[in-house]
Amino acid sequence: MKRSRTRLLSAPYTVWVTIFIVVPMLLVVWFAFTDKSGSFTLDNILSVGQYSNVFLRSIWLGAVATAVSLLLGYPLAYSISQMSVKRQSVMVMLVMLPMWMNFLLRTYAWMSLLEDNGLINSLFASLGLPRLHMINTAGAVVLGMVYNYIPYMILPLYSILTKIDRSVIEAAQDLGASDSKVFWKVVVPMSMPGVISGVTMVFVPAVSTFIISKMLGGGANLLIGDLIDMQFLGSAYNPNLGSAISLVLMVIILICMGIMDQFDDGEETGGGVMP
């Protein structure tokens, strides 16, 4: 009886997953292994190899953006976790506040800031400093990724750090551990589930983005997302090749997630498991 009730309650979700996840995935696989006439072929998969430089660039920029997000997000998440409950709520709201604004508007704002005649260069000129070319560069793309995705790094880290039992930290201090040793030997290992979650949540959208690279990279920094977009919506319309590239990208992401899971000992009530 209980099992039947559970199945009944999960039915809407099962239907949703089937229509919007399983069916589209099957369509991607179908188009990836067929030609325009619908015949089976491996040409699309084999053709993906010619875009290896785009894949490497996407993985590299995604990894850099993830590393920068971790370096910036961890100290902020740790600082928030040490505040009072009321201040924590305010800080978490401020972290989430940019996410309430449309993704495109946020990226357009960075365009106006980074352009050769934008606000930043205008400020430099008024101070007598030389103008810098920042727009349409790999650095601008990484900056856009970090700005848009860093909340996905901060929030899981904050969630884990607030669950760390203070008695464990106090025990380490009572045993003579300095503040730096407590941080590196106790806090960091116990926060690893949050690090893994944050890295995954930032890297996956960063490596597959196309709006950020298109608007801030100016076509000079073509990423996998741009390549897929071109195959479906651009002049080089080829949904079969686009599906093959998408399928390879999904496999790469699954491999990366599998590697990251090897470092995850799981999440417990008091944070991660200490080594």
Side-chain angles (χ1 to χ4, degrees):
M1 182 67 179
K2 185 177 180 180
R3 182 176 298 179
S4 300
R5 184 182 302 173
T6 302
R7 290 180 178 177
L8 181 62
L9 292 174
S10 63
Y13 177 74
T14 303
V15 173
W16 177 275
V17 169
T18 302
I19 295 176
F20 295 104
I21 297 180
V22 176
V23 172
M25 288 285 292
L26 292 176
L27 288 174
V28 168
V29 174
W30 168 262
F31 277 102
F33 289 99
T34 57
D35 56 21
K36 294 182 179 180
S37 64
S39 302
F40 175 81
T41 181
L42 293 175
D43 292 342
N44 298 317
I45 299 296
L46 297 176
S47 299
V48 175
Q50 62 184 309
Y51 302 106
S52 58
N53 60 327
V54 179
F55 277 83
L56 292 175
R57 185 186 302 117
S58 300
I59 294 173
W60 168 247
L61 294 182
V64 171
T66 303
V68 173
S69 297
L70 179 59
L71 292 175
L72 296 178
Y74 197 104
L76 179 57
Y78 181 76
S79 299
I80 295 175
S81 68
Q82 301 303 304
M83 298 178 181
S84 63
V85 176
K86 185 176 181 180
R87 289 188 176 182
Q88 287 183 24
S89 300
V90 174
M91 292 301 297
V92 170
M93 184 192 69
L94 291 177
V95 169
M96 297 178 62
L97 190 61
M99 300 172 65
W100 299 355
M101 187 183 301
N102 184 273
F103 186 90
L104 289 176
L105 291 179
R106 284 182 278 153
T107 309
Y108 269 121
W110 275 109
M111 289 181 64
S112 64
L113 289 171
L114 300 177
E115 287 176 342
D116 293 337
N117 295 316
L119 296 178
I120 295 179
N121 274 318
S122 297
L123 177 62
F124 286 166
S126 64
L127 297 175
L129 300 174
R131 294 176 180 266
L132 300 176
H133 178 66
M134 296 175 286
I135 196 70
N136 300 337
T137 62
V141 175
V142 171
L143 177 61
M145 291 178 178
V146 172
Y147 172 75
N148 282 290
Y149 301 133
I150 195 171
Y152 301 117
M153 178 68 73
I154 296 174
L155 294 178
L157 284 171
Y158 162 76
S159 177
I160 291 294
L161 288 169
T162 54
K163 295 179 181 178
I164 295 179
D165 192 348
R166 294 291 302 176
S167 62
V168 177
I169 296 177
E170 292 172 358
Q173 293 172 337
D174 292 341
L175 292 173
S178 62
D179 291 340
S180 60
K181 284 189 176 181
V182 169
F183 179 77
W184 290 108
K185 299 294 185 179
V186 178
V187 176
V188 172
M190 296 186 71
S191 64
M192 283 308 295
V195 174
I196 300 301
S197 297
V199 167
T200 302
M201 293 176 67
V202 173
F203 179 75
V204 171
V207 77
S208 58
T209 186
F210 67 97
I211 291 296
I212 296 175
S213 55
K214 182 181 294 185
M215 298 174 66
L216 300 180
N221 296 274
L222 187 69
L223 301 184
I224 303 176
D226 301 303
L227 190 60
I228 296 173
D229 179 62
M230 291 168 55
Q231 303 304 319
F232 284 96
L233 300 176
S235 57
Y237 180 74
N238 189 346
N240 301 94
L241 178 58
S243 297
I245 298 173
S246 302
L247 186 61
V248 172
L249 175 60
M250 284 189 287
V251 172
I252 292 175
I253 290 176
L254 288 174
I255 292 174
C256 293
M257 292 177 64
I259 294 174
M260 295 303 298
D261 284 342
Q262 299 302 313
F263 298 96
D264 189 1
D265 292 324
E267 181 179 345
E268 296 186 352
T269 303
V273 179
M274 290 183 62

